[in-house]
Amino acid sequence: GKENVWEQINGRASFFLAYDMIRMTHASFVSSTDESQFIDLSIYDMGTPTHAFGVFSSERSRDAPPVDLGRAAYRSDANYFIWKGRYYVRIISSDVTPVFRQTAMDLARNIAGALTDSGEKVWGLITLPRTDRIPQSVRYYKINAMGLEFMRNTYTAEYRKENAVITAFISRHSTPEA
């Protein structure tokens, strides 16, 4: 239920629910000899690739090294964050030892391989120009883009032009008036 989601994601349930999360599946793999040693797996079914990208892009750390899993992924220590189709996956490790790094990487590969992807395109990723775009800078906001309540279904991206960084945005609405 929604109460469990609240518990698992440290009070961030409203963030995930704002992107129309359908369900979250969670598993903890805990050491039988030391309960402080664990790897947590959370798979968020966001309903559409666009919503899954929105959550992934909002949480993504631009400095973290990308990993070739799903449509996009990155690693931070022994933690993995993956976007594949309608799914957003978080793998959080309690430690950064080589064993944890390897176990988390194996889990990430297995989960990414098991999840299906419809191949449905994400409009903003296709529409925003690629020239001069800073890698990993595209974000999707279902609501409240740039802190503005009326800005919905909005993509932002950063572009480098000579010595300046420019933020561009596009927003998709059902009518020109909207």
Side-chain angles (χ1 to χ4, degrees), residues 44-164:
Y44 301 86
D45 180 348
M46 302 306 301
T48 70
T50 297
H51 293 161
F53 173 73
V55 171
F56 173 81
S57 70
S58 292
E59 294 210 317
R60 174 175 51 202
S61 167
R62 208 172 305 147
D63 302 331
V67 179
D68 188 19
L69 292 172
R71 290 196 195 185
Y74 67 94
R75 179 183 62 76
S76 173
D77 295 322
N79 305 316
Y80 285 83
F81 306 87
I82 305 162
W83 165 45
K84 183 171 181 183
R86 64 190 280 168
Y87 301 101
Y88 173 58
V89 178
R90 293 175 70 191
I91 296 170
I92 306 296
S93 302
S94 65
D95 208 334
V96 295
T97 63
V99 170
F100 271 88
R101 286 179 190 263
Q102 185 63 52
T103 304
M105 185 174 65
D106 292 344
L107 181 59
R109 279 199 186 114
N110 288 330
I111 293 299
L115 294 174
T116 58
D117 186 341
S118 67
E120 177 188 329
K121 303 283 187 227
V122 173
W123 177 78
L125 293 177
I126 299 164
T127 308
L128 283 164
R130 292 185 187 276
T131 307
D132 299 325
R133 189 164 77 196
I134 297 173
Q136 284 89 47
S137 72
V138 179
R139 291 182 68 176
Y140 169 70
Y141 300 88
K142 188 168 183 340
I143 58 171
N144 300 337
M146 299 174 283
L148 302 171
E149 202 171 304
F150 64 89
M151 290 293 286
R152 299 173 172 275
N153 300 312
T154 301
Y155 294 83
T156 62
E158 292 179 354
Y159 293 85
R160 187 172 308 285
K161 283 288 193 191
E162 295 167 21
N163 294 330

Side-chain angles (χ1 to χ4, degrees), residues 20-40:
D20 298 339
M21 182 184 77
I22 293 173
R23 79 178 50 87
M24 186 259 273
T25 304
H26 177 82
S28 281
F29 304 94
V30 182
S31 167
S32 57
T33 57
D34 181 356
E35 286 187 12
S36 71
Q37 300 288 297
F38 63 86
I39 294 179
D40 281 347

